[in-house]
Amino acid sequence: MTHVSVTRLLRSTVAAVLTLLFGVGLAAFGVLFAVTEAPGGARDLRAYEAAARCPAPPSAPADCRWTQEFTVSGGRLPNSRRQPNRLVLNGADGTRRETSYDSGGPVFEKGERVTGTVWRGLLTEISSGEFSQKTYDFPADMRARALISALITVPSGLVMTAACAWRLGRRAVPDPTPGMVATLGLAVGLFFAGLFSPLFVGGSGDDPWLVAAVWLPIAAVLTVVARVYVTRKRAADTVTGEDAHGVTPAGRP
């Protein structure tokens, strides 16, 4: 089904142009996001790590860190690893907070007492005994996210652009060649490989090196599959062409 869809797409000049523009946009987005976010991407994380303890409970969002006791009053467990854990926390002063964190983190029971860390008005961490969990409001290292975004978008965008440019350069040929089909199929495969690679490393999904370690073998396999497809398709086309001219290939009865 994928092969048929890619072939039909490349047969249409309009579709090929639109796909080329999408590929250019995909690659440009990855590069632009990396260039704009990476240089100062650790600013908030460093500010958080350097923040001192607040001398008193802050009445407004502050750059110091304050710890507060909460009671878990409710929550929701995820149905899959893609969904976060959600908690509802109540403070002794009547404060009510809702927070979420990675599904691989600890499960806090209703009625359990936990300690929350508040920074700039955000609940960044929850701890109970030996367990400590970062919430989704914990300041992220945008450098890592920028690199992961570039990994997802830049290779697939460039390969997609190359496949469509190749096809548009040979518009006089009615059907795309096996190489064109395989190249565009590879681009689609690389995009989804990058998109799902962070999910395979669980709580380390923000580590660009681990994500790359997952993505690279998948990309290598996809490249080999594309090459095998081209080789077999050309061989099959050669045999079909020989039969059409009434020539019996060597080795066939």
Side-chain angles (χ1 to χ4, degrees):
M1 183 65 70
T2 302
H3 159 60
V4 173
S5 300
V6 170
T7 303
R8 288 181 177 176
L9 188 152
L10 289 173
R11 281 175 181 161
S12 169
T13 300
V14 174
V17 169
L18 292 177
T19 306
L20 183 146
L21 294 176
F22 179 77
V24 171
L26 203 62
F29 169 80
V31 172
L32 184 63
F33 187 68
V35 170
T36 55
E37 294 294 336
R43 187 183 299 112
D44 286 347
L45 179 60
R46 288 171 180 167
Y48 179 80
E49 292 172 343
R53 178 177 172 79
C54 300
S59 57
D63 283 327
C64 55
R65 281 192 280 180
W66 177 256
T67 55
Q68 183 177 351
E69 298 297 318
F70 293 95
T71 301
V72 178
S73 61
R76 188 182 72 183
L77 295 177
N79 295 322
S80 69
R81 292 185 60 187
R82 300 180 186 179
Q83 297 177 333
N85 285 328
R86 297 186 183 277
L87 282 182
V88 178
L89 306 176
N90 290 335
D93 58 356
T95 304
R96 184 177 184 274
R97 290 182 177 272
E98 295 186 17
T99 188
S100 56
Y101 57 92
D102 188 81
S103 60
V107 176
F108 298 100
E109 302 292 340
K110 186 175 181 179
E112 185 175 352
R113 299 281 292 177
V114 299
T115 301
T117 301
V118 180
W119 178 72
R120 294 183 179 176
L122 302 173
L123 185 65
T124 55
E125 296 181 72
I126 308 169
S127 61
S128 176
E130 62 181 14
F131 296 112
S132 181
Q133 176 64 46
K134 297 176 182 177
T135 72
Y136 283 167
D137 286 324
F138 190 89
D141 186 347
M142 294 304 296
R143 298 172 302 179
R145 294 190 178 182
L147 290 174
I148 292 172
S149 296
L151 183 68
I152 295 172
T153 58
V154 175
S156 57
L158 292 177
V159 175
M160 188 177 297
T161 301
C164 294
W166 183 7
R167 173 56 182 157
L168 292 172
R170 299 185 61 182
R171 293 192 304 274
V173 180
D175 292 319
T177 65
M180 296 174 189
V181 174
T183 303
L184 185 55
L186 175 62
V188 175
L190 290 176
F191 175 76
F192 283 104
L195 198 62
F196 290 106
S197 289
L199 301 179
F200 293 136
V201 295
S204 302
D206 280 343
D207 188 329
W209 302 112
L210 284 179
V211 174
V214 172
W215 180 84
L216 283 171
I218 298 175
V221 170
L222 290 174
T223 303
V224 171
V225 169
R227 179 59 183 170
V228 169
Y229 166 80
V230 173
T231 302
R232 291 186 175 180
K233 184 64 176 174
R234 286 176 177 171
D237 290 345
T238 300
V239 171
T240 302
E242 290 174 344
D243 287 344
H245 289 85
V247 179
T248 302
R252 292 180 60 186

